[in-house]
Amino acid sequence: MRFLGIDPGIAIVGFGFVDKIGNKVVPVQYGCIQTEAHTPEEERLLHVYEGMVQLIDKYKPDTVALEKLFFNRNVTTAMSVSQARGVMVLAAAQKGLPIAEYTPMQIKQAIVGYGKAEKKQVQEMVKMFLRLQVVPKPDDVADALAVAVCHAHSYTLNSKLNEVLRK
């Protein structure tokens, strides 16, 4: 099964595709969609949307997961990122893909085992889980892979729970 993890943003959107094969999670492709500063917001949103559609068409994930947004300071940034997140959700929904959301704390708990782990700890665990030579850069890419790994593990558990509940 193929999972797409997304770290939403307007300047940089991290993405990571992983396959779950048995109990192993293996990387397929990862990187980022970048938009130019000082470009009109509608052009940036279009670029993010088109980039996401192309990635989904090329790598054909079975499900998509995004990091939930959490802002406590800059409302302007929150609005821009929320709009970008909306076009990512739209791209996935148009392809009929199930969408999951995870808080940063849930992702850290799934990856490190501690919900208040430092960013560096999460990045090192992603590198270890996926047997990568180096931590992916920029940080948004490592974060997206963490979302994908979290979803791969959670999806399996949730599927089993749903099977038990249906009986």
Side-chain angles (χ1 to χ4, degrees), residues 3-9 12-17 31-33 48 51-53 55-56 61 63-69 81 84-93 97-102 107 140-149 151:
F3 299 83
L4 167 56
I6 301 171
D7 181 40
I12 301 173
V13 176
F15 67 85
F17 290 89
C32 61
I33 300 167
V48 168
M52 193 56 56
V53 168
L55 288 166
I56 289 170
T63 182
V64 176
L66 295 100
E67 183 173 346
K68 282 187 181 178
L69 299 180
V81 174
R85 189 180 180 285
V87 301
M88 294 173 225
V89 169
L90 174 63
L97 297 171
I99 300 165
E101 300 176 298
Y102 297 95
I107 296 163
D140 311 77
V141 178
D143 293 347
L145 283 168
V147 174
V149 171
H151 190 43

Side-chain angles (χ1 to χ4, degrees), residues 55-101:
L55 288 166
I56 289 170
D57 285 345
K58 183 172 184 177
Y59 295 103
K60 304 193 181 330
D62 297 297
T63 182
V64 176
L66 295 100
E67 183 173 346
K68 282 187 181 178
L69 299 180
F70 176 76
F71 289 93
N72 59 358
R73 292 200 181 119
N74 192 333
V75 175
T76 304
T77 301
M79 294 300 288
S80 293
V81 174
S82 294
Q83 288 179 319
R85 189 180 180 285
V87 301
M88 294 173 225
V89 169
L90 174 63
Q94 284 181 325
K95 301 294 180 179
L97 297 171
I99 300 165
E101 300 176 298

Side-chain angles (χ1 to χ4, degrees), residues 27-158:
V28 174
Q29 183 61 273
Y30 51 90
C32 61
I33 300 167
Q34 294 183 304
T35 65
E36 293 291 325
H38 310 297
T39 302
E41 192 167 59
E42 62 274 12
E43 289 179 30
R44 294 176 95 177
L45 293 171
L46 180 62
H47 181 73
V48 168
Y49 172 78
E50 289 174 341
M52 193 56 56
V53 168
Q54 288 174 356
L55 288 166
I56 289 170
D57 285 345
K58 183 172 184 177
Y59 295 103
K60 304 193 181 330
D62 297 297
T63 182
V64 176
L66 295 100
E67 183 173 346
K68 282 187 181 178
L69 299 180
F70 176 76
F71 289 93
N72 59 358
R73 292 200 181 119
N74 192 333
V75 175
T76 304
T77 301
M79 294 300 288
S80 293
V81 174
S82 294
Q83 288 179 319
R85 189 180 180 285
V87 301
M88 294 173 225
V89 169
L90 174 63
Q94 284 181 325
K95 301 294 180 179
L97 297 171
I99 300 165
E101 300 176 298
Y102 297 95
T103 66
M105 188 174 277
Q106 288 172 310
I107 296 163
K108 290 174 181 179
Q109 181 72 39
I111 301 299
V112 179
Y114 176 60
K116 294 184 180 180
E118 297 293 324
K119 191 177 215 42
K120 184 86 173 143
Q121 292 173 292
V122 175
Q123 292 172 346
E124 287 298 325
M125 289 302 289
V126 164
K127 177 182 147 192
M128 187 189 79
F129 272 135
L130 298 176
R131 296 173 188 83
L132 302 173
Q133 297 296 314
V134 296
V135 172
K137 295 290 179 194
D139 291 350
D140 311 77
V141 178
D143 293 347
L145 283 168
V147 174
V149 171
C150 171
H151 190 43
H153 291 306
S154 298
Y155 188 89
T156 303
L157 177 62
N158 289 336

